[in-house]
Amino acid sequence: MTKKTNSEEFSLPQKISLKQKHLLGLEYLSKEEILLILDTAKPFKTIFTRSIKKVPTLRGRSVVLLFYEPSTRTRTSFELAAKRLSADTVNIAVQLSSVQKGESLIDTAKTLESMKSDFIVIRHSYSGAPHILAQNVSSSIINAGDGFHEHPTQGLLDIFTIREKKGKVEGLKVVIVGDILHSRVARSNLWGLTKLSARVVLCGPPTLIPKDIDKIFPQVEIEHDLDKALRNADVVNILRVQFERQLEHFFPSVREYSLLYGMTKQRLKNAKSDVLVLHPGPMNRGIEITTDVADSLNSVINEQVTNGIAVRMAVLYLLSLVNTNQ
Ligand code: CP
């Protein structure tokens, strides 16, 4: 493959723009807005093959990363995305910040706003924390994961990866397996995939499937038997067992969970031979996924991480256009 140089033309879709200057969840985006982000991420991904992986698109803008929960992928990916767009980035180490002296979330955000931060990327254990910031500060707020609610850029990068590999999303059978109850990744996938007309099947023990999920997503199927759920599957998205969020016992033992819901090579044979294996990470190898599945030819787990940067570049770029227009 020939590498592009930085002097080559960099073309981006010039169609519609996003309606809101915040990205709080895929629930609030239309199908057209989701497709706009996915289409915009494609040319941004081509930058990765260049010798200088940087464009001046967001020069002079600032992006603050405010993570109240641990993260490897999302935080690094947002920082790289912002840097590749030439924005200035600041990482707030919450453990070393005035949060430890009792400063409230809103006061922290107002302080960052006063420093003229264009974007605040927030991860918080409370569902709705990004919404509170969006109501109280003028910076663009991007949800990097709020409690059990949503993780919109993870949903977008999952769907980008599916679309890139399969050429479409509509009509694909996508099985989401594991701890749906505690998963913001599952919720963002559900909003995004159903808006793009995928056939979504949720699979997990009854205790880890939210009770009223069918009321919000009546078109989604629920199957507790993983072997049955996998039949004819085009994509399987395997969720992490979130031990840190489970305040009670949702299954008798890790061993039993693994036996019933762990993804093994043998079990994967129920799906189509070219099934895509996704996992948002971090993985509990040997619990929800075996190493031979995680590292198999069907696995696109590492590509998800790469695509995450392109998708986040697209999000920052498109939100910056909304800011400019307001
Ligand atoms: N997928 C994901 O959100 O990973 P991190 O917790 O490492 O950001």
Side-chain angles (χ1 to χ4, degrees):
M1 195 203 300
T2 51
K3 284 191 173 182
K4 284 190 175 178
T5 67
N6 266 26
S7 58
E8 282 182 72
E9 192 72 17
F10 183 72
S11 63
L12 292 163
Q14 298 291 318
K15 294 181 280 182
I16 57 166
S17 59
L18 297 180
K19 290 181 199 74
Q20 278 200 29
K21 70 174 184 179
H22 309 293
L23 177 62
L24 303 178
L26 297 194
E27 179 181 355
Y28 317 109
L29 295 185
S30 65
K31 173 182 175 179
E32 290 71 31
E33 288 176 301
I34 291 172
L35 290 173
L36 174 67
I37 296 171
L38 301 178
D39 287 342
T40 306
K42 272 194 228 172
F44 277 126
K45 193 175 172 185
T46 64
I47 294 173
F48 301 178
T49 56
R50 300 181 185 185
S51 52
I52 298 172
K53 299 172 183 54
K54 204 160 182 157
V55 287
T57 315
L58 287 191
R59 191 157 53 202
R61 306 288 182 103
S62 54
V63 180
V64 176
L65 306 169
L66 182 60
F67 278 58
Y68 287 81
E69 281 191 337
S71 167
T72 299
R73 277 148 287 269
T74 313
R75 180 204 281 263
T76 312
S77 181
F78 264 114
E79 186 165 359
L80 279 172
K83 287 195 155 113
R84 286 181 186 175
L85 292 169
S86 302
D88 298 316
T89 59
V90 179
N91 253 296
I92 306 286
V94 168
Q95 298 307 321
L96 301 176
S97 74
S98 291
V99 170
Q100 300 307 315
K101 300 176 196 164
E103 187 165 62
S104 73
L105 175 63
I106 292 176
D107 284 342
T108 301
K110 281 189 179 294
T111 303
L112 301 173
E113 177 194 34
S114 304
M115 295 178 191
K116 308 298 174 207
S117 306
D118 295 296
F119 298 91
I120 300 176
V121 180
I122 178 169
R123 171 170 288 190
H124 204 286
S125 57
Y126 287 111
S127 300
H131 302 66
I132 292 171
L133 295 199
Q135 286 156 13
N136 283 280
V137 298
S138 59
S139 313
S140 246
I141 305 300
I142 303 178
N143 181 0
D146 63 326
F148 304 166
H149 176 234
E150 277 222 42
H151 190 348
T153 54
Q154 181 69 47
L156 288 166
L157 76 89
D158 291 347
I159 297 168
F160 180 92
T161 307
I162 294 169
R163 201 164 171 242
E164 184 181 55
K165 292 286 174 189
K166 296 287 183 189
K168 62 172 188 175
V169 176
E170 186 175 352
L172 293 181
K173 180 177 178 183
V174 181
V175 180
I176 305 176
V177 53
D179 184 356
I180 315 287
L181 183 67
H182 299 98
S183 177
R184 52 201 180 200
V185 175
R187 276 171 196 74
S188 287
N189 265 270
L190 276 163
W191 284 114
L193 289 167
T194 54
K195 284 178 187 192
L196 299 189
S197 305
R199 178 186 163 199
V200 182
V201 180
L202 298 180
C203 183
T207 48
L208 289 177
I209 305 277
K211 283 195 177 50
D212 291 336
I213 197 85
D214 56 328
K215 295 202 170 59
I216 305 169
F217 300 102
Q219 67 277 56
V220 163
E221 299 160 50
I222 295 168
E223 172 59 67
H224 300 297
D225 181 327
L226 181 53
D227 292 327
K228 280 189 194 162
L230 285 173
R231 276 180 210 153
N232 236 9
D234 298 287
V235 179
V236 56
N237 197 345
I238 303 163
L239 303 175
R240 183 171 69 88
V241 178
Q242 301 196 33
F243 292 107
E244 76 277 17
R245 292 193 206 279
Q246 297 191 6
L247 304 177
E248 45 185 296
H249 293 294
F250 288 90
F251 42 83
S253 70
V254 173
R255 188 169 169 275
E256 182 168 324
Y257 179 88
S258 214
L259 276 174
L260 293 174
Y261 296 103
M263 191 61 66
T264 61
K265 270 259 166 153
Q266 186 58 33
R267 186 160 266 154
L268 202 59
K269 286 182 183 159
N270 289 297
K272 288 185 178 170
S273 58
D274 61 349
V275 65
L276 289 185
V277 174
L278 282 78
H279 191 304
M283 288 183 273
N284 296 306
R285 286 179 186 253
I287 297 179
E288 73 265 3
I289 187 168
T290 57
T291 283
D292 56 359
V293 173
D295 301 336
S296 69
L297 292 176
N298 297 85
S299 168
V300 288
I301 294 169
N302 292 330
E303 283 160 270
Q304 284 175 267
V305 176
T306 305
N307 291 337
I309 303 175
V311 163
R312 289 174 177 120
M313 288 170 83
V315 166
L316 288 165
Y317 166 69
L318 290 168
L319 292 179
S320 78
L321 297 184
V322 182
N323 283 338
T324 308
N325 295 338
Q326 280 184 351

